[in-house]
Amino acid sequence: MRRFVFRLLPSVFCLLLLALGCATKEPRYPADHARFERIDVAVENLRKAYAERDLSAFQTLLLPSDQIDRMELDVEKDFDAFAEITLDLSIERIFIEGETIDVYVHWQGLWKRDAADTGQRERGHGMLRLQGVHSILLQGFEGDVPFGMFRRAPAEPPKGGPS
């Protein structure tokens, strides 16, 4: 029995050290951790401003460029076309190179023209190109992003029924 305890003692000691090492709550690289948190908040703010149809809040998260200006017009058309927008954005990967941040996202949403509308369900994958270290703003995008959904929507049915 004594031999068994002595053989088990190093394993118990290693497990104890491992448990104590994992119990620390501080991130290993606090500056990087804080930046990842700011990136997450920036993506959530984009999602929230779009889902709440808040154009001014959405615009504060954008850097001016031709691509972003076109997207901004598409977002305005979405807000005109749809009375209700539900959007979920989840981050798949983040690549950082200097001040440029590529955030790969998966999204799904429901766009409704009015309360009686069953809505249009869509989903996709895209990349949001963000810029900044302390203040993170949308600089561009690639792939399939949810902004500009009015283009995918079928034309509104005529009011008043068939003639």
Side-chain angles (χ1 to χ4, degrees):
M1 176 74 172
R2 193 174 191 159
R3 272 190 176 160
F4 178 73
V5 171
F6 281 118
R7 285 185 175 172
L8 192 60
L9 193 58
S11 298
V12 170
F13 182 71
C14 288
L15 285 173
L16 182 63
L17 283 177
L18 182 64
L20 290 174
C22 293
T24 60
K25 300 224 183 224
E26 294 296 317
R28 189 169 185 168
Y29 302 101
D32 291 341
H33 180 76
R35 189 169 186 198
F36 279 110
E37 286 181 339
R38 286 192 300 275
I39 292 166
D40 188 50
V41 167
V43 171
E44 173 57 19
N45 288 341
L46 273 170
R47 186 209 63 78
K48 184 178 176 187
Y50 181 76
E52 292 178 355
R53 301 175 60 242
D54 187 348
L55 186 60
S56 63
F58 193 83
Q59 289 170 329
T60 63
L61 303 168
L62 308 177
L63 282 172
S65 73
D66 290 341
Q67 183 186 36
I68 293 296
D69 292 344
R70 285 189 301 275
M71 184 196 67
E72 190 176 342
L73 291 173
D74 289 348
V75 167
E76 286 182 51
K77 290 177 183 174
D78 283 354
F79 293 170
D80 290 340
F82 302 105
E84 184 181 332
I85 299 172
T86 304
L87 179 64
D88 295 321
L89 268 174
S90 58
I91 296 174
E92 292 178 352
R93 292 183 303 256
I94 298 175
F95 292 108
I96 300 175
E97 188 172 322
E99 288 193 17
T100 301
I101 307 156
D102 292 341
V103 180
Y104 291 84
V105 296
H106 170 76
W107 59 268
Q108 62 183 3
L110 176 67
W111 287 258
K112 291 184 172 186
R113 293 189 184 278
D114 55 43
D117 186 12
T118 58
Q120 173 184 344
R121 291 191 184 279
E122 296 286 342
R123 64 183 174 189
H125 297 271
M127 188 267 296
L128 304 174
R129 177 154 291 136
L130 304 172
Q131 183 77 27
V133 174
H134 298 290
S135 178
I136 313 262
L137 301 173
L138 183 63
Q139 177 187 17
F141 59 91
E142 290 181 16
D144 188 19
V145 294
F147 315 119
M149 196 54 60
F150 77 95
R151 289 189 214 175
R152 297 182 191 190
E156 277 189 87
K159 307 258 185 213
S163 305

